[in-house]
């Protein structure tokens, strides 16, 4: 029986990989514009990193991680997200000793054991940035601006930015007390999961997908209405900077996000045409995370991650086409044994001059070679047989307009250089 790819994973075949290359290159280009440098961290980390970083009470850590024990009895986990690994690397490589902030970006596969559906996979990919080493809201504004410029330059216009402040330990303490009291008074009306979260992670109740819970907690106290003066000022400054850049946003006081490390800013960018899985980008600030996973005090961070699969689905839903520029420049058609051998030196010279070239590898007939050249959308073809080699004369054909031109075989590279 044939073996298929595991549930929730997808091959990215050549009919899509050019799109991935395009969006990846665009993301790298934009990150560079904003002064972010690339970091690549391992696919797996010690499980404890995510337990401490992402948070023990989150769905990700409780239900969605791909955790295993290796042959050396180490407890490892495939990364469910990019931030924790980057922060670990920030500490491990003592990046805090450099001039701050440390601005890093990554493109990485991530793994979550979720129920697969369109835009939700078990192996998916994130384009992310992390700016560590400053608690200024200017980095929050910059991150949102970078994400929006990236999405806009890809052609996406129908996007909404939602922002919120989820406070800090100072405002969370009295707020959590208030929240717990409120939820206790509603305990009979809440689902089991909410009642479980009520004690451990009460803010997550706000995010409950059960309709009756939402009905019953309409007047739930929201942290954004209970911010301490420092968090309020931070949030007001973020809004001021976004206004200055004319980035439109709405304040959504109900954004809590599914990872425990968020403090103050939390934001999401929603594509208005993707349905259930419409959150293309999620991010926020994680002051305290560096310290929480063993680093020095006082290194705050902020970042976001864009789901690559969701991004590509959004582009498709918006009829934004990415051109496949993997066309071959020239296909060398050969007739006879002499030409077949000669074609090796011709192709070598073309490729050494960075002209993409291909030839027949299946002993096809002349007609079949042309058919194949058409199929792979070669821009030019040249036919080589005994006469062409002896007379140093070939026919160069433009496959788009069928124009032909007789040129010297020895001049093929120069001729193509002037044409391409
Ligand atoms: P997140 O909201 O969990 O945040 O994930 C970010 C994005 O990854 C989501 O908005 C979505 O587009 C995509 N995504 C998440 N799960 C899946 C899935 N199962 N299938 C397909 N796409 C998915 C984080 O991961 C944070 N680390 C973001 C961040 C960086 N915050 C600060 N810095």
């Amino acid at each position: 029986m044939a073996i298929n790819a595991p549930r929730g994973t997808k091959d990215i075949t050549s009919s899509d990989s050019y799109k991935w290359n395009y969006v990846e290159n665009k993301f790298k280009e934009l990150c560079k514009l904003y002064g972010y440098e690339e970091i690549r961290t391992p696919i797996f980390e010690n499980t404890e990193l995510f337990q401490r970083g992402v948070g023990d009470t989150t769905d990700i850590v409780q239900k969605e991680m791909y955790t295993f024990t290796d042959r050396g009895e180490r407890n490892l986990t495939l990364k469910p997200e990019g931030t924790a690994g980057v922060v670990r690397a920030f500490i491990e490589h003592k990046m805090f000793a450099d001039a701050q902030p440390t601005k890093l970006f990554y493109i990485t596969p991530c793994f979550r054991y979720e129920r697969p559906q369109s835009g939700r996979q078990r192996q998916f990919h994130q384009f992310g940035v992390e700016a560590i080493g400053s608690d200024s809201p200017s980095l929050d504004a910059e991150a949102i601006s970078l994400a929006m410029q990236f999405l806009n330059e890809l052609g996406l216009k129908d996007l909404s930015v939602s922002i919120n402040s989820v406070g800090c330990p100072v405002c969370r303490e009295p707020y959590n007390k208030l929240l717990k009291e409120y939820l206790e008074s509603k305990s009979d009306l809440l689902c089991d999961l909410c009642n479980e979260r009520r004690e451990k992670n009460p803010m997550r109740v706000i995010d409950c997908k059960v309709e009756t819970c939402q009905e019953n907690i309409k007047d739930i106290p929201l942290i954004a209405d209970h911010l301490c003066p420092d968090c309020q000022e931070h949030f007001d400054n973020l809004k001021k900077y976004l206004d200055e850049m004319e980035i439109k946003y709405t304040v959504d006081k109900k954004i809590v996000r599914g990872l425990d490390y968020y403090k103050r800013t939390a934001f999401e960018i929603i594509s208005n045409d993707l349905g259930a899985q419409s959150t293309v980008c999620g991010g926020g600030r994680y002051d305290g995370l560096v310290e929480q996973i063993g680093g020095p005090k006082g290194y705050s961070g902020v970042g976001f991650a864009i789901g690559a699969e969701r991004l590509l689905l959004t582009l498709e839903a918006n009829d934004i086409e990415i051109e496949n520029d993997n066309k071959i420049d020239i296909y060398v058609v050969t007739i006879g044994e002499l030409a077949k051998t000669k074609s090796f030196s011709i192709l070598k010279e073309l490729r050494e001059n960075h002209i993409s070239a291909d030839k027949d590898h299946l002993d096809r007939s002349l007609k079949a070679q042309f058919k194949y050249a058409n199929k792979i959308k070669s821009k030019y073809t040249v036919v080589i047989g005994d006469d062409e080699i002896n007379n140093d004369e070939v026919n160069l054909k433009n496959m788009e307009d069928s124009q032909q031109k007789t040129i010297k075989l020895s001049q093929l590279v120069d001729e193509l250089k002037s044409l391409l």
Side-chain angles (χ1 to χ4, degrees), residues 81 83 106 112 114 119-121 124 126 129-130 257 259 261-262 279-284 286 303-305 307 310:
E81 57 99 55
T83 310
Y106 50 87
R112 293 185 194 175
E114 292 191 88
R120 200 207 278 157
Q121 292 177 197
F124 61 99
Q126 286 189 342
V129 306
E130 311 295 348
R257 314 238 336 105
L259 302 104
Y261 49 61
Y262 289 113
T279 310
V280 176
C281 172
Y286 43 84
F304 67 74
R310 285 189 203 173

Side-chain angles (χ1 to χ4, degrees), residues 166 168-184 197-204 206 221-223 226:
V166 292
C168 70
V170 173
C171 34
R172 286 254 186 105
E173 206 187 294
Y175 168 73
N176 272 343
K177 211 167 147 244
L178 187 74
L179 186 59
K180 279 183 184 171
E181 276 165 20
Y182 172 88
L183 291 172
E184 206 180 319
R197 283 174 168 166
R198 199 156 60 79
E199 277 304 314
K200 291 190 208 139
N201 197 350
M203 268 169 76
R204 295 282 297 146
I206 298 167
L222 298 167
I223 180 86
H226 298 268

Side-chain angles (χ1 to χ4, degrees), residues 14 17-18 21 323-329 356 376-377:
S14 59
S17 55
Y18 68 92
N21 277 322
E323 204 196 331
N324 186 350
D325 61 1
N326 284 342
K327 283 181 190 168
I328 279 279
D329 293 326
S356 56
I376 62 168
K377 299 197 171 70

